[in-house]
Amino acid sequence: MKPNAPYTETPSQGNIQISVEAVKIRVTGLVQGVGFRPHIYRIALINKIEGWVKNSTSGVQIKAIGQKELLQKFIRDISDLAPSVAEISKIDVAVSTRNGEQGFKIVASSGKQQEITEVSPDIAVCDDCLLDMGNQDHRIDYPLINCTNCGPRFSIIKALPYDRRQTTMDIFPMCRTCAAEYSDINDRRFHAQPVACNVCGPVYSLFSPEGKLIDCENLPKHTAQLIDAGNILAIKGTGGFHLACDALNAETVNRLRTGKLREGKPFAVMFPNIDTLSEFAFLSTEEITTLTSWRRPIVLLDGKNKLPATVNAGLSRIGAVLPYMPFHFLLFRHLSTKAIILTSGNLSQEPVIIDPAQAKEKIGSVFDFMIDYNRDIHNRTDDSVVQHIEGSIQIIRRSRGYTPKPIALNFETEGIFATGAELKNVFCLGKGNQAIMSQHIGDLKNLETFTFFTESAARFSDLFRFEPKLVATDLHPDYLTSEWSRKPGLPVECVQHHHAHIASCMAEHKINEKVIGLSFDGTGYGTDGHIWGSEIMLCDLAGFERLGHFEYLPMPGGDKAITEPWRMALACLYTVYGNNLPFAALKHFNFLNQQEIEMILVALEKRINITLTSGIGRLFDAAASLLGLCQKPGFEAEGPMRLEACATEKINDFYPTTIDKGGMIRVNGIIDGIISDLQKGIRKERIATRFHNSIIEAAASAISETNISSMPEKVLLSGGAFQNCYLLSGLSKKLKEMGFQVLTNHQVPANDGGIALGQLAVAAARRNKSCV
């Protein structure tokens, strides 16, 4: 039996007993756009079943009439023989009667119900279609080939049910050959909505930056020649434009970085296959499985330092992705280089571009040529990003290949709209016992991104027939989402940021009891008006009690301390030493003049423009600055990332910390230990490792010293800091040794991209509690 395919009427599908000869069946889950109706048709013929199958907004509906034993086998075959991409959530069976049905038919879709089925994410091109590009006369080298098992789905859908007329393929009439395939039950393209070929389908074209069409006989070959020659190309992908160039050409990569306004953030790199990728990165079995899966995300891997340093900003890890569109495979057929940069086609902090006119306007100065195809993208999606920690997958950015697959929950969510966080925004709709997460939206402080948020919220509401009754949003009163949530005039539930992190983990693991939650990140508005970010909580979905946290540290200049982490380093030194700073050990601070240092010290002494933070991210910033790893970051979390990359020593020792009666963890011992090691000339790799060990030991000690009458069995770890592999692995191991069951996020990001799920869960729990 396929996993994740429960039968609702009996404990086990193997025990299904059908005592009637006619039933109505409803199958819910990811069952549209994945070849499910042809699958039902085929198993109906095999089992001599009469009746019909159709798509509806609430799932796939089936009327089945046949001999009892064959009917029983037919129902088992629904899940046992389902298409590989399909994911069945539930099979409902009800008694029916024969009503003159003869034979088995696929009938027209219906779409009036408020209940909805899942919408398929976009699916990487399948091996069969790649073979067809070389074998089928009308699809020789067709760069947009697809079938029922692969191709665009979410990016082209405009409404449910999923039919061609409801997608951006509606303007492309099928030729006779494609129409025959579409109508042939024995064909792999039977009812494949985006089906197309060289005769009738959308086409790629090459343009100059000015928009002039460039005629070329073999577009993929010409594109490869342009990339090998050092050009930067804007190439339309599944969910938006990419910017592409030769990843081994450092000069071109630097030109791309400058033009994209992306100072230091690592670029994603596409490799033609696993064999080539293995020359540049270390690969585990689990990572290979994810890289080659139909979702085809970017996977963070340990690199072998064979790419130019400018590709990944000198970090040891690389973001690798394999080809997932037919055009990618055609391109690598002709490329001389072994790898290309494939980064989102936008300016830094703005949404990925989907319109060629906007591409020319916004990034026309960045690329040398543009490759577009004439099928519209209705729903933009960035590439998803994941990593593997201790063999388990962790999603960092949830978008193409994952969106809009819902998260199954064990509580009612109907009508709740969760706005998500200000940064790394993803919003969430509540439908029945599901949470439908949006694609990655981005940082809402940017006007273009906030417009993307409002546009996508409207489209999701329409697509999924969502009627909002309650809005869940962040506790921070000044976030754009907080202001937006008050406009519809609906009840608003404000949810504390770090409680939402833990609630997201509780929701995806279907946990109802109280847990210990560790929510570690950089920023979140606390109930005391300060910035939180190292929270140890006793919580359930409805509420929380703050048990402990790392001590509040001053942020001189407020948010400026995030972009200039040396300010946090000085603040930590002032907290420990006062005005007697140990500058003899601070050789990495020679870029500052005495006047700048004195200005910060005066601000700290007189509390001028000072914000208090317990965010663990700021403590990581300070440590990275003290070690000279990052003084002026070129991208978010650069300091903590470089500090993690530096923690390579195989040691267990750590710096001491103390814990106040109120659960506040004092960092004096950590800062003093770092300074002492610097004065002794200890290698920064050892210091970075000791720092990480210190955070792990302090957090574990804080939990063991909490005064709880009945200690929960489960500890949940969530928040952006737990994307740090060393921190997550080390703390998980420590807590398991203490007897706890440790859980973290896997279906949604642990970072702010998962906040909306937590907001939804908290709002649902409070609403359900108030109704009791």
Side-chain angles (χ1 to χ4, degrees):
M1 183 188 300
K2 276 176 68 77
N4 303 319
Y7 179 72
T8 59
E9 303 302 313
T10 62
S12 166
Q13 290 195 24
N15 297 327
I16 295 173
Q17 298 298 318
I18 302 297
S19 58
V20 295
E21 295 183 342
V23 294
K24 278 193 174 181
I25 303 167
R26 185 181 69 163
V27 187
T28 55
L30 181 51
V31 291
Q32 290 193 25
V34 293
F36 206 82
R37 287 179 299 171
H39 154 64
I40 297 298
Y41 187 100
R42 282 189 283 268
I43 63 172
L45 296 184
I46 292 170
N47 291 290
K48 299 179 181 179
I49 300 297
E50 295 181 306
W52 47 259
V53 60
K54 68 178 180 179
N55 278 343
S56 74
T57 53
S58 61
V60 170
Q61 306 280 351
I62 305 165
K63 173 77 173 287
I65 302 153
Q67 295 179 12
K68 294 176 184 178
E69 294 78 10
L70 290 174
L71 197 56
Q72 183 172 308
K73 181 176 179 296
F74 169 76
I75 295 173
R76 285 200 300 269
D77 287 348
I78 289 175
S79 58
D80 289 350
L81 303 178
S84 58
V85 178
E87 296 181 8
I88 298 172
S89 300
K90 199 163 56 168
I91 301 175
D92 292 316
V93 181
V95 175
S96 186
T97 57
R98 181 184 287 273
N99 192 27
E101 290 86 0
Q102 292 186 343
F104 197 88
K105 301 175 183 177
I106 294 180
V107 301
S109 304
S110 58
K112 295 181 179 179
Q113 303 97 323
Q114 286 300 102
E115 204 172 350
I116 55 94
T117 189
E118 293 184 27
V119 173
S120 170
D122 299 299
I123 305 169
V125 63
C126 67
D127 291 341
D128 288 331
C129 279
L130 293 176
L131 290 173
D132 288 347
M133 284 200 302
N135 299 329
Q136 293 186 341
D137 291 341
H138 58 306
R139 290 197 179 91
I140 296 297
D141 292 347
Y142 182 54
L144 290 163
I145 193 171
N146 64 85
C147 69
T148 55
N149 300 322
C150 71
R153 297 293 191 271
F154 172 66
S155 60
I156 64 171
I157 192 170
K158 295 187 285 188
L160 286 173
Y162 176 66
D163 289 317
R164 191 181 183 96
R165 59 187 171 81
Q166 309 255 52
T167 74
T168 58
M169 283 297 294
D170 60 344
I171 64 171
F172 297 97
M174 285 181 274
C175 66
R176 285 187 179 182
T177 307
C178 285
E181 293 169 330
Y182 183 87
S183 304
D184 183 358
I185 184 61
N186 296 310
D187 196 283
R188 205 176 74 254
R189 293 182 175 86
F190 179 63
H191 280 226
Q193 305 307 328
V195 64
C197 70
N198 282 311
V199 176
C200 63
V203 296
Y204 276 89
S205 300
L206 175 64
F207 298 90
S208 69
E210 299 76 30
K212 182 180 178 181
L213 179 65
I214 301 174
D215 188 31
C216 56
E217 185 176 337
N218 187 327
L219 182 58
K221 182 178 181 180
H222 194 72
T223 303
Q225 291 170 344
L226 290 171
I227 290 175
D228 284 330
N231 290 289
I232 298 170
L233 276 73
I235 304 176
K236 190 173 182 179
T238 299
F241 276 91
H242 287 109
L243 289 167
C245 70
D246 181 357
L248 303 182
N249 187 327
E251 182 180 344
T252 305
V253 175
N254 275 328
R255 186 160 62 90
L256 173 59
R257 190 173 291 287
T258 301
K260 203 174 183 296
L261 305 179
R262 187 165 173 165
E263 285 186 45
K265 192 174 182 181
F267 284 129
V269 185
M270 179 173 277
F271 297 86
N273 49 51
I274 289 293
D275 287 343
T276 304
L277 173 55
S278 65
E279 297 177 28
F280 293 85
F282 299 97
L283 295 167
S284 68
T285 302
E286 294 85 2
E287 288 165 341
I288 291 173
T289 298
T290 300
L291 282 160
T292 56
S293 71
W294 63 266
R295 300 185 190 278
R296 212 62 59 95
I298 296 168
V299 182
L300 300 186
L301 304 169
D302 290 328
K304 295 182 177 179
N305 299 318
K306 291 187 176 182
L307 289 170
T310 185
V311 169
N312 58 346
L315 292 166
S316 58
R317 306 185 81 195
I318 61 174
V321 64
L322 295 183
Y324 56 85
M325 294 183 74
F327 185 82
H328 298 153
F329 286 90
L330 293 171
L331 180 61
F332 273 106
R333 185 189 297 175
H334 302 287
L335 278 168
S336 296
T337 185
K338 292 184 175 182
I340 60 172
I341 300 295
L342 200 75
T343 186
S344 54
N346 59 354
L347 294 178
S348 184
Q349 305 301 320
E350 293 188 6
V352 62
I353 294 169
I354 60 175
D355 178 66
Q358 191 179 47
K360 284 181 281 188
E361 176 191 345
K362 290 273 190 178
I363 56 175
S365 61
V366 181
F367 62 80
D368 303 305
F369 298 91
M370 179 173 67
I371 295 176
D372 183 29
Y373 57 79
N374 58 337
R375 182 187 70 212
D376 287 343
I377 296 171
H378 188 70
N379 300 300
R380 75 184 83 205
T381 54
D382 285 278
D383 290 328
S384 294
V385 182
V386 306
Q387 65 180 352
H388 282 264
I389 302 178
E390 301 289 326
S392 297
I393 195 167
Q394 183 187 66
I395 299 175
I396 295 172
R397 183 169 71 197
R398 188 179 189 271
S399 208
R400 178 188 55 76
Y402 292 88
T403 302
K405 176 176 169 52
I407 310 298
L409 305 172
N410 61 349
F411 52 83
E412 174 66 38
T413 69
E414 188 67 42
I416 302 175
F417 183 96
T419 63
E422 180 96 330
L423 304 178
K424 298 183 180 66
N425 180 265
V426 171
F427 62 80
C428 182
L429 310 183
K431 289 287 292 185
N433 282 38
Q434 292 184 331
I436 303 174
M437 307 286 288
S438 77
Q439 69 272 56
H440 170 77
I441 303 294
D443 296 351
L444 298 185
K445 292 180 180 179
N446 179 282
L447 175 61
E448 289 83 358
T449 307
F450 189 73
T451 301
F452 176 32
F453 166 84
T454 56
E455 171 194 275
S456 297
R459 287 186 175 179
F460 264 66
S461 297
D462 183 57
L463 178 63
F464 295 109
R465 290 168 167 78
F466 175 77
E467 294 182 4
K469 299 173 184 176
L470 173 66
V471 180
T473 194
D474 196 271
L475 185 66
H476 198 300
D478 297 329
Y479 279 175
L480 288 172
T481 49
S482 302
E483 181 181 348
W484 180 87
S485 66
R486 294 189 287 267
K487 288 183 178 180
L490 296 168
V492 177
E493 189 69 57
C494 294
V495 182
Q496 200 280 324
H497 185 92
H498 300 95
H499 183 206
H501 270 308
I502 302 304
S504 74
C505 192
M506 294 180 70
E508 71 166 80
H509 289 285
K510 297 180 174 62
I511 296 172
N512 295 318
E513 74 266 25
K514 285 186 180 293
V515 300
I516 297 291
L518 271 66
S519 184
F520 284 11
D521 63 7
T523 299
Y525 188 73
T527 56
D528 59 2
H530 297 316
I531 297 174
W532 291 7
S534 57
E535 309 315 304
I536 302 171
M537 299 172 161
L538 173 66
C539 57
D540 55 21
L541 290 178
F544 70 92
E545 177 188 351
R546 194 185 193 197
L547 300 176
H549 58 90
F550 281 79
E551 70 175 288
Y552 284 117
L553 294 170
M555 290 176 65
D559 284 350
K560 203 168 185 180
I562 299 174
T563 56
E564 296 180 353
W566 57 267
R567 291 171 177 263
M568 284 308 305
L570 288 178
C572 286
L573 293 175
Y574 179 83
T575 299
V576 177
Y577 302 107
N579 287 312
N580 300 315
L581 302 187
F583 282 110
L586 303 182
K587 60 181 180 180
H588 304 301
F589 280 64
N590 55 13
F591 64 94
L592 295 174
N593 59 50
Q594 190 62 31
Q595 185 178 0
E596 288 176 299
I597 294 172
E598 289 176 359
M599 177 186 69
I600 297 299
L601 292 177
V602 169
L604 288 165
E605 184 179 0
K606 297 186 176 181
R607 298 290 172 179
I608 300 171
N609 194 19
I610 296 295
T611 302
L612 292 179
T613 178
S614 66
I616 201 74
R618 302 293 75 81
L619 189 57
F620 271 76
D621 281 344
S625 174
L626 290 171
L627 294 184
L629 298 173
C630 182
Q631 306 295 4
K632 294 183 179 180
F635 57 94
E636 183 195 4
E638 180 180 355
M641 287 173 66
R642 294 197 181 282
L643 191 65
E644 178 191 4
C646 193
T648 56
E649 297 280 323
K650 303 295 183 183
I651 57 172
N652 296 318
D653 49 319
F654 54 91
Y655 302 119
T657 56
T658 57
I659 303 173
D660 292 352
K661 286 186 178 180
M664 184 180 290
I665 303 168
R666 298 290 180 181
V667 301
N668 294 46
I670 295 176
I671 302 303
D672 193 48
I674 290 174
I675 296 303
S676 176
D677 279 353
L678 286 171
Q679 290 174 329
K680 294 174 185 175
I682 302 295
R683 296 174 68 247
K684 61 183 179 181
E685 289 80 7
R686 180 165 288 259
I687 299 173
T689 307
R690 281 177 175 165
F691 173 84
H692 279 78
N693 292 344
S694 303
I695 303 299
I696 292 167
E697 289 293 329
S701 297
I703 292 175
S704 65
E705 293 185 24
T706 54
N707 186 22
I708 302 175
S709 57
S710 180
M711 179 69 76
E713 297 177 354
K714 297 181 177 69
V715 177
L716 275 57
L717 309 179
S718 190
F722 288 115
Q723 290 173 176
N724 181 315
C725 299
Y726 191 108
L727 180 63
L728 179 61
S729 298
L731 186 53
S732 296
K733 180 182 178 182
K734 183 75 176 179
L735 292 171
K736 288 174 183 177
E737 290 171 353
M738 294 167 62
F740 291 105
Q741 180 183 356
V742 183
L743 299 167
T744 189
N745 298 91
H746 297 295
Q747 295 187 60
V748 299
N751 63 38
D752 284 3
I755 281 284
L757 177 60
Q759 292 173 343
L760 181 93
V762 172
R766 291 175 181 171
R767 181 178 68 178
N768 296 341
K769 193 174 183 179
S770 67
C771 294
V772 175

